[in-house]
Amino acid sequence: MKIRILGYYGGYPYDGVGTSGYLVQSGNFNLLLDCGSGVLLELEKYLDPLQLDAVLLSHYHHDHKADVGVLEYYWQLHSENRKENTLPIYGNIDDKINFDGLTWNDDTKGIPYHENDTLNLGPFLIEFMKTQHPVSAYAVKIIEKSTNKIFVFTADTKYFDGLINFCKNADLLITDTNFYKNKQGTKWHMTSEESGYLAKQSNAKNVIISHLPQYGSLNQLLYETRAEAGSNINVKIAKLGLQFNI
Ligand SMILES: [Zn+2]
Ligand SMILES: [Zn+2]
């Protein structure tokens, strides 16, 4: 399974880099996980968007779905050479207005996923866990059927202990790490220290911290995460275009 980072900032794009988006590939299957601001432009560098097999959204905050509308137009304006006749876009149905927006003519179609159902999608089995966030958001576990490799994406969430079991033994864990260790007050995202703790407790093999802040020193964020995770865990910081193979 290959995971490529197409955007990693939280909230809004910054300095030429967009918000949440990851291309997850196995064999010739292409899954776009989140479709934030700037993600379509970045995707076009690597893959004709008509070659997508599916899109999956963790939640409907704009930094995770801002480019869904323009992706729908891309499909509408290219009726030839599509890999699929209609692009399936998976999302939660807790928010019906946003879910309904995933269907555009016959070009794209919204399909619901559910927390207690495993989604069998091409080469993947996909599981979901509701996170703690101001709107319904779901952490996503993607298991490659042919290898049993596990990729977990925490989506947006504050830290809570229930994440540990869901992230258990991930070959790659991508965490929402939007805050430095010293963040005070209400937190709807994890701090560096909490990401490191989650990595350690869940025995993740590799961790990429993402959903990054636009301020401060990202080296400091990485340092704080590594200090908590310990030296057994390979912790990296998200980089645009970085591809990780597991
Ligand atoms: Zn976000
Ligand atoms: Zn969010």
Side-chain angles (χ1 to χ4, degrees):
M1 172 168 25
K2 296 184 288 190
I3 297 100
R4 190 185 290 278
I5 298 172
L6 303 176
Y8 58 73
Y9 277 118
Y12 56 91
Y14 179 70
D15 198 19
V17 180
T19 62
S20 187
Y22 306 90
L23 178 61
V24 186
Q25 298 173 293
S26 172
N28 65 354
F29 193 92
N30 304 308
L31 169 67
L32 179 61
L33 175 60
D34 276 353
C35 189
S37 175
V39 165
L40 183 59
L41 201 55
E42 193 64 21
L43 174 68
E44 289 169 8
K45 295 179 185 173
Y46 303 102
L47 184 79
D48 177 350
L50 300 177
Q51 295 303 304
L52 285 173
D53 292 271
V55 179
L56 195 157
L57 303 178
S58 63
H59 66 306
Y60 301 124
H61 273 154
H62 293 300
D63 53 328
H64 299 255
K65 64 132 207 184
D67 275 6
V68 168
V70 287
L71 178 61
E72 290 172 348
Y73 292 163
Y74 195 106
W75 275 62
Q76 179 183 1
L77 295 169
H78 297 83
S79 55
E80 308 285 319
N81 301 320
R82 296 178 183 180
K83 193 168 178 187
E84 302 287 336
N85 283 331
T86 300
L87 177 65
I89 304 180
Y90 292 85
N92 75 67
I93 48 170
D94 305 338
D95 176 341
K96 191 168 183 318
I97 291 174
N98 272 302
F99 176 77
D100 287 348
L102 306 181
T103 298
W104 182 247
N105 303 324
D106 291 328
D107 303 305
T108 68
K109 181 171 174 49
I111 301 177
Y113 60 71
H114 303 282
E115 185 172 26
N116 297 318
D117 291 347
T118 298
L119 175 63
N120 193 339
L121 182 63
F124 302 128
L125 296 174
I126 305 182
E127 298 173 8
F128 303 91
M129 186 179 68
K130 196 167 194 171
T131 70
Q132 297 189 6
H133 202 53
V135 299
S136 284
Y138 290 84
V140 180
K141 182 190 298 189
I142 300 178
I143 303 160
E144 188 177 39
K145 288 186 266 188
S146 61
T147 62
N148 285 322
K149 294 283 185 180
I150 300 170
F151 163 45
V152 179
F153 173 54
T154 65
D156 283 9
T157 185
K158 68 183 285 190
Y159 176 80
F160 62 104
D161 285 338
L163 286 167
I164 294 172
N165 197 42
F166 190 76
C167 298
K168 210 82 188 169
N169 299 322
D171 295 283
L172 175 64
L173 171 63
I174 295 184
T175 62
D176 167 7
T177 310
N178 199 233
F179 296 131
Y180 293 87
K181 177 180 170 179
N182 62 1
K183 168 74 177 175
Q184 301 295 315
T186 307
K187 286 176 284 194
W188 291 115
H189 305 279
M190 288 189 282
T191 66
S192 52
E193 190 173 44
E194 289 166 336
S195 274
Y197 181 77
L198 175 61
K200 183 170 61 179
Q201 295 302 318
S202 62
N203 196 35
K205 293 187 183 66
N206 300 284
V207 177
I208 296 176
I209 59 173
S210 193
H211 206 274
L212 301 177
Q214 291 86 351
Y215 59 92
S217 159
L218 294 181
N219 280 338
Q220 174 72 16
L221 197 77
L222 181 60
Y223 173 82
E224 291 171 356
T225 310
R226 282 179 171 161
E228 183 64 27
S231 55
N232 290 338
I233 300 173
N234 175 30
V235 184
K236 286 180 164 17
I237 196 153
K239 292 252 184 310
L240 194 61
L242 174 75
Q243 188 177 60
F244 204 95
N245 297 325
I246 56 174

